[in-house]
């Protein structure tokens, strides 16, 4: 993609001369089919995606921060911050571009009937006590930019807070889990196996869906209290804070003209929200605010810290499709939005991506980006320190909701990039070639190949073959270095350095496989018992928590996204290790046929765009569930290339009789891909098929026991 010209948007702080419309009221447009706006906020930019009633993308605009605003990022070791004002400036530029570039359809903005969006999960904004009144007053001055109205006063008590990739709060995470563990009775968490040693992490996951994570709001607020606290005991930054918003409800607040509630799925990324109770956890709130320290020292405040933090966080919205209110008059008068346009709860980027595809019960969605996130539908709440749990982000209140289990490999994309730069001449084609030619486990030519099956599967301890020589390369994101091991023993480097690209992928994908299989094992156990919710991990006889050769621990299909999804060497190895075909959906890809600079709508933007359309239909009396409503995004006719030969996707567990080749030819080059017919309607492109021989090799429990769990945080 190319950057938009810098002169497409004004650069002055006051834009009275460049206001998209100088009329005090929007131009009245004829009633036409409604449109829906999705706002996506990422670390390095913002994007607006407009969808029509058929959930087809009709417009995309983008603002990249590395242009005008990149100098405002700050990195200090593991601490990464960005000014809160940058999002407001970015929104100004984004909406101005949307207004100016809609000349071919003057009614586009006026036809938008619902807005939703997503932001970085975990990024928090510390709003001053004056911010709500400043926000409410913006509607009286539509001739000025939002940033000039809100940033002319002290709007933020902490101007540059940490963003979602910050990892500077390891001490706070350890303290949170240690205090929780101290408060647990001795008898609790028994039966949790070896992991019962970390009872604090288990208890934190049981309550909030995740163990204490460095980028989550709890550890970040705790650090703010400790670092910016005065010697007199006053919490200087927090004393000046009226509200703490996540990026999602902060953006929603700008469109509403008042502070919006936090979405429940996004609230699960704070370590402060008790998922089972559906409310903020007062005990954790008190720990974060230091109530235990004040009780120990005998000092006290007029109001307990837990109550103060609860009031700063505000309410949690559990209905992802509820109308929060009409759009602020500021946007109606400045940009020409309809005064009937409604604002829907914004959410985090990970749950938003989950909404972009109707997953089957055994489907998983995997985003291969800077960090890898695997999203797994879960009918029950199964907390574990190894993954995150959150409620479905687009459900109405009522029966117990289904959940999403999220398995994360933090910094996985950075690890792949480091292996490329250090061992592949900085070239992805070289990286892919090395992945293709290296044998599973990391050997090139010097391992006996007279009888590969005997070497791979022989259990005779006198002839262990490659199983006992398994090598791994791990990426340590907090330190930015690679850790190499042979048979579990760290080594400075490998004799053959060409094996690094394949080993980094094996380590990352085996970590995903290990945690995914534990999730499926837990769900299988619960389906055969009278218990409906597991609130602590279960101990298994197997050292890895499940039978590695069981086909019931495998997904049926992997829906891929992210930059690495187009690399056939990566996706073929992923498919083999997870034992399922890897596919890319064509949802949202029709923009390439529309001549819009080749831009594509991300899965996160599509997900919240679908949610906005669903919420508008609900407000109009349509009672369909989100899943039924969004299914038409896959079933509706689309502009697409000429039909290709079709094949059926596997929906039954993997067996030797229904597995095809690895998608590579004898020279290690990517083999042909084929368009397949999906029973849920969308067209998919298979980009990886499991190789059965290598799949059996990766099922070895010896390898799993040597594979280290990647820290999900």
């Amino acid at each position: 993609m190319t950057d938009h010209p810098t002169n497409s948007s004004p650069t002055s702080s006051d834009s009275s001369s460049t206001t998209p419309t100088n009329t005090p009221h929007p131009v009245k447009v004829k009633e036409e089919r409604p449109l829906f706006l999705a706002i996506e906020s990422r670390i390095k930019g913002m994007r607006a995606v407009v969808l029509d009633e058929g959930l087809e993308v009709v417009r995309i605009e983008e603002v990249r921060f590395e242009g005008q605003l990149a100098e405002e990022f700050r990195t200090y070791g593991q601490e990464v911050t960005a000014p809160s004002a940058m999002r407001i400036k970015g929104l100004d530029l984004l909406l101005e571009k949307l207004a100016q570039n809609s000349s071919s359809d003057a009614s586009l903005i006026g036809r938008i009937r619902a807005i939703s969006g997503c932001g970085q999960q975990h990024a928090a904004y510390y709003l001053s006590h004056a911010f709500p009144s400043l926000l409410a007053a913006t509607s009286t001055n539509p001739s000025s930019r939002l940033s000039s109205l809100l940033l002319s006063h002290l709007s933020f008590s902490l101007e540059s807070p940490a963003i979602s990739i910050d990892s500077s709060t390891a001490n706070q995470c350890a303290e949170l889990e240690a205090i929780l563990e101290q408060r647990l009775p001795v008898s609790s968490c028994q039966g949790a196996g070896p992991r019962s040693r970390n009872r604090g992490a288990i208890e934190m996951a049981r309550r909030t869906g995740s163990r204490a994570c460095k980028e989550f709001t709890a550890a970040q607020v705790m650090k703010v209290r400790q670092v910016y606290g005065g010697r007199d005991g006053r919490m200087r930054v927090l004393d000046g804070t009226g509200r703490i918003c996540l990026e999602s409800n902060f953006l929603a607040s700008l469109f509403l003209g008042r502070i919006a509630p936090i979405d429940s799925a996004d609230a699960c990324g704070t370590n402060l929200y008790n998922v089972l109770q559906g409310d903020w956890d007062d005990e954790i709130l008190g720990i974060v605010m230091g109530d235990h320290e004040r009780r120990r020292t005998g000092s006290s405040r007029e109001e307990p810290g837990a109550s103060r933090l609860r009031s700063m966080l505000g309410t949690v919205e559990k209905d992802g499709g509820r109308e929060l209110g009409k759009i602020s008059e500021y946007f109606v008068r400045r940009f020409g939005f309809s005064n009937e346009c409604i604002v829907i709860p914004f959410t985090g980027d990970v749950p938003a991506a989950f909404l972009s595809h109707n997953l089957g019960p055994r489907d998983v969605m995997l985003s291969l980006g800077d960090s890898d996130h695997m999203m797994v539908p879960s009918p029950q709440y199964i907390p574990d320190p190894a993954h995150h749990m959150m409620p479905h982000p687009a459900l109405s209140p009522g029966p117990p909701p289904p959940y999403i289990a999220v398995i994360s490999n933090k910094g996985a994309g950075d690890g792949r990039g480091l292996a490329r730069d250090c061992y592949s001449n900085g070239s992805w084609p070289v990286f892919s070639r090395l992945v293709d030619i290296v044998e599973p486990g990391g050997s090139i030519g010097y391992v006996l190949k007279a009888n590969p099956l005997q070497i791979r599967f022989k259990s005779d301890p006198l002839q262990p073959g490659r199983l006992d020589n398994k090598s791994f390369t791990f990426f340590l994101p907090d330190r930015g270095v690679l850790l190499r091991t042979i048979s579990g023993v760290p080594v400075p480097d490998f004799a053959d350095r060409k094996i690094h690209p394949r080993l980094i992928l094996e380590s990352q994908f085996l970590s995903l496989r290990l945690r995914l299989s534990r999730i499926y094992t837990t769900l299988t156990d619960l389906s055969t018992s009278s218990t409906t919710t597991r609130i602590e991990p279960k101990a298994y006889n197997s050292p890895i928590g499940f039978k590695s050769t069981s086909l019931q621990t495998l997904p049926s299909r992997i829906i891929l996204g992210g930059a690495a999804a187009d690399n056939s060497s990566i996706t073929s190895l992923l498919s083999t290790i997870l034992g399922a075909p890897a596919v890319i959906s064509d949802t949202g890809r029709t923009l390439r046929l529309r001549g819009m600079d080749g831009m594509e709508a991300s899965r996160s933007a599509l997900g919240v765009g679908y949610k906005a359309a669903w919420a508008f239909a609900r407000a109009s009396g349509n009672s369909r569930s989100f899943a039924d409503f969004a299914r038409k995004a896959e079933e509706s006719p689309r502009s697409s290339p000429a039909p290709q030969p079709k094949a059926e996707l596997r929906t039954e567990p993997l067996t030797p009789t229904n597995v095809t080749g690895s998608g590579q030819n004898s020279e290690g080059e990517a083999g042909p891909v084929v368009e397949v017919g999906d029973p849920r309607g969308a067209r998919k492109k298979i980009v990886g098929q499991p190789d059965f021989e290598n799949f059996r090799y990766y099922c070895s429990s010896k390898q799993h026991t040597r594979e280290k769990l990647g820290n999900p945080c």
Side-chain angles (χ1 to χ4, degrees), residues 278-307:
D279 196 5
W280 302 115
D281 191 298
D282 285 321
E283 185 174 8
I284 299 178
L285 295 178
I287 296 173
V288 168
M289 295 294 284
D291 286 350
H292 59 292
E293 297 175 2
R294 287 189 289 275
R295 286 193 296 267
R296 186 173 60 248
T297 59
S299 61
S300 61
R301 297 183 58 89
E302 295 181 359
E303 183 181 8
S307 300

Side-chain angles (χ1 to χ4, degrees), residues 101-175:
N101 295 340
S102 299
S103 56
S104 59
D105 185 358
S107 67
L108 185 142
I109 289 183
R111 291 163 53 198
I112 294 174
R113 290 295 180 267
I115 301 175
S116 188
C118 61
Q120 306 170 72
Q121 275 198 292
H122 325 305
Y125 292 76
Y126 298 78
L127 310 184
S128 69
H129 294 282
F131 188 89
S133 58
L134 292 173
L135 184 59
T138 55
S139 59
T140 62
N141 193 0
S143 62
S144 298
R145 281 182 170 178
L146 198 63
S147 55
S148 66
L149 297 174
L150 293 177
L151 304 181
S152 58
H153 303 276
L154 185 60
S155 300
F156 303 100
S157 55
L158 183 61
E159 294 187 357
S160 293
I163 60 176
S164 61
I165 57 176
D166 180 88
S167 58
S168 63
T169 58
N171 293 337
Q172 286 75 21
C173 290
E175 184 178 353

Side-chain angles (χ1 to χ4, degrees), residues 20-21 26-27 29 35-37 50 59 94-102 105-115 327 331-332 334-339 341:
T21 174
V27 178
V29 299
L35 300 175
F36 310 101
L37 175 62
V50 181
R59 177 70 59 185
L94 187 66
L95 293 180
E96 286 170 7
K97 292 180 74 171
L98 184 64
Q100 293 171 2
N101 295 340
S102 299
D105 185 358
S107 67
L108 185 142
I109 289 183
R111 291 163 53 198
I112 294 174
R113 290 295 180 267
I115 301 175
I327 193 171
F331 296 94
V332 175
R334 179 169 175 79
F335 295 104
F337 281 91
S338 167
N339 54 16
C341 178

Side-chain angles (χ1 to χ4, degrees), residues 420-467:
R420 173 204 62 190
D421 295 339
C422 295
Y423 303 105
S424 305
N425 299 327
S427 167
W428 283 119
V430 174
F431 180 97
S432 300
R433 177 64 175 170
L434 292 178
V435 171
D436 293 340
I437 65 176
V438 172
E439 291 287 328
S443 58
I444 305 181
Y446 55 80
V447 173
L448 178 63
K449 295 184 179 180
N451 189 344
L453 292 180
Q454 182 184 33
I455 292 176
R456 292 183 185 181
F457 306 136
K458 190 173 181 65
S459 59
D460 183 355
L462 299 178
Q463 182 64 271
R466 282 177 288 189
L467 294 181

Side-chain angles (χ1 to χ4, degrees), residues 640-647 673-677 683-685:
S640 60
Q644 302 292 324
K646 292 187 177 182
V673 295
V674 20
E675 300 286 345
V676 298
R683 293 178 62 80
K684 309 290 188 298
K685 183 175 72 171

Side-chain angles (χ1 to χ4, degrees), residues 163 218 246 257 263 285 330 339 400 422 520 541 546 607 703:
I163 60 176
L246 301 182
D263 171 73
L285 295 178
Y330 171 85
N339 54 16
C422 295
Y520 283 152
N541 293 328
F546 60 92
Q703 296 196 47

Side-chain angles (χ1 to χ4, degrees), residues 275-496:
V275 181
L276 292 178
Q277 295 179 2
D279 196 5
W280 302 115
D281 191 298
D282 285 321
E283 185 174 8
I284 299 178
L285 295 178
I287 296 173
V288 168
M289 295 294 284
D291 286 350
H292 59 292
E293 297 175 2
R294 287 189 289 275
R295 286 193 296 267
R296 186 173 60 248
T297 59
S299 61
S300 61
R301 297 183 58 89
E302 295 181 359
E303 183 181 8
S307 300
R308 293 185 60 218
L309 184 53
R310 175 182 283 272
S311 65
M312 284 189 278
L313 292 168
T315 59
V316 175
E317 179 56 62
K318 301 175 186 177
D319 183 353
R322 188 176 76 86
E323 175 187 333
L324 297 179
K326 298 295 192 295
I327 193 171
S328 167
E329 186 69 15
Y330 171 85
F331 296 94
V332 175
R333 300 175 64 185
R334 179 169 175 79
F335 295 104
F337 281 91
S338 167
N339 54 16
E340 295 300 316
C341 178
I342 62 176
V343 179
I344 310 304
F346 285 36
T347 190
D349 50 3
V350 173
F354 182 83
L355 297 176
S356 68
H357 202 287
N358 282 311
L359 298 182
R362 303 285 290 191
D363 291 346
V364 299
M365 179 182 292
L366 177 58
S367 174
L368 298 170
D370 293 338
S371 294
D372 293 347
H373 299 288
M374 175 179 282
M375 289 157 274
V376 186
S378 175
Q380 301 182 53
Y381 185 62
I382 48 171
D384 190 289
H387 61 254
H388 311 292
M389 293 296 302
M390 63 184 68
H392 194 289
L395 289 177
S396 304
Y403 297 90
I404 309 171
V406 181
I407 305 170
S408 299
N409 277 345
K410 184 177 180 180
D414 296 333
R416 293 189 288 266
L418 183 59
R420 173 204 62 190
D421 295 339
C422 295
Y423 303 105
S424 305
N425 299 327
S427 167
W428 283 119
V430 174
F431 180 97
S432 300
R433 177 64 175 170
L434 292 178
V435 171
D436 293 340
I437 65 176
V438 172
E439 291 287 328
S443 58
I444 305 181
Y446 55 80
V447 173
L448 178 63
K449 295 184 179 180
N451 189 344
L453 292 180
Q454 182 184 33
I455 292 176
R456 292 183 185 181
F457 306 136
K458 190 173 181 65
S459 59
D460 183 355
L462 299 178
Q463 182 64 271
R466 282 177 288 189
L467 294 181
D468 279 353
N469 295 325
K470 181 69 182 80
S471 303
F472 283 107
T473 299
F474 301 99
F475 177 65
L476 306 181
D478 294 343
R479 296 168 54 189
V481 298
L482 298 175
L483 172 66
R484 307 158 188 85
T485 67
I486 298 178
S487 301
V489 179
V491 295
D493 208 339
F494 300 121
D496 191 337

